[in-house]
Amino acid sequence: MFKAGFADNFAVQMRRTLAHLAVWGLFITFGALVSGKVFIIPGLLTGWLGSVIYFLLMCRRVKKSAELPHAQAIASMRAGWLIRFSFAISMLVLSVHVPWIDFWAAVVGLFSLHIVLMVNAVITVISGLIANVGKSNLKSGRE
């Protein structure tokens, strides 16, 4: 069993990231509609769905690995990486073989998770910097 604090924080962060992925999916779909690029929407949504499934697979593997002993957790994470990588490749192969799915739009959609995580990281850093402005304990050498 893993600690209750980890499970609570993990669930909160997972729901938060899924909500941000949903907002990102709506944003890219609405953006494609407004710009008149309706033909890329199936590709964007295919890649976006692949990104959401990839994230859920990763969360499942992290939760499972937290419950395992160290050596088994490492083996589990390595196997999970291979499964997730194979899934991402299969999504791209699907987009190449299905004529109504734009390959490059699917690639952009597949990076949805990475985009959301990067935006979250930038927001976290900026909010931390703003909260700590003027709180430096360093003294200038002009005393």
Side-chain angles (χ1 to χ4, degrees), residues 93-103:
V93 169
L94 173 76
S95 67
V96 167
H97 291 293
V98 177
W100 49 272
I101 297 178
D102 184 59
F103 174 75

Side-chain angles (χ1 to χ4, degrees), residues 100-117:
W100 49 272
I101 297 178
D102 184 59
F103 174 75
W104 291 110
V107 169
V108 169
L110 200 55
F111 280 101
S112 293
L113 175 62
H114 300 85
I115 293 167
V116 165
L117 292 177

Side-chain angles (χ1 to χ4, degrees), residues 13-122:
Q13 293 301 323
M14 185 176 145
R15 278 190 240 116
R16 178 177 168 224
T17 304
L18 282 173
H20 291 167
L21 276 169
V23 169
W24 175 254
L26 290 171
F27 176 75
I28 61 175
T29 303
F30 183 72
L33 283 172
V34 168
S35 68
K37 308 278 188 197
V38 178
F39 66 93
I40 67 170
I41 291 176
L44 287 171
L45 291 179
T46 300
W48 174 82
L49 182 64
S51 190
V52 169
I53 293 171
Y54 182 91
F55 177 69
L56 292 173
L57 287 171
M58 186 171 52
C59 288
R60 180 178 172 267
R61 186 62 58 177
V62 167
K63 184 178 177 185
K64 181 178 176 184
S65 295
E67 298 170 345
L68 295 173
H70 183 70
Q72 289 178 341
I74 291 173
S76 175
M77 292 301 277
R78 287 182 180 152
W81 176 85
L82 186 59
I83 291 167
R84 288 189 312 274
F85 184 68
S86 300
F87 175 75
I89 295 297
S90 67
M91 291 300 289
L92 294 176
V93 169
L94 173 76
S95 67
V96 167
H97 291 293
V98 177
W100 49 272
I101 297 178
D102 184 59
F103 174 75
W104 291 110
V107 169
V108 169
L110 200 55
F111 280 101
S112 293
L113 175 62
H114 300 85
I115 293 167
V116 165
L117 292 177
M118 180 60 77
V119 169
N120 283 343
V122 168

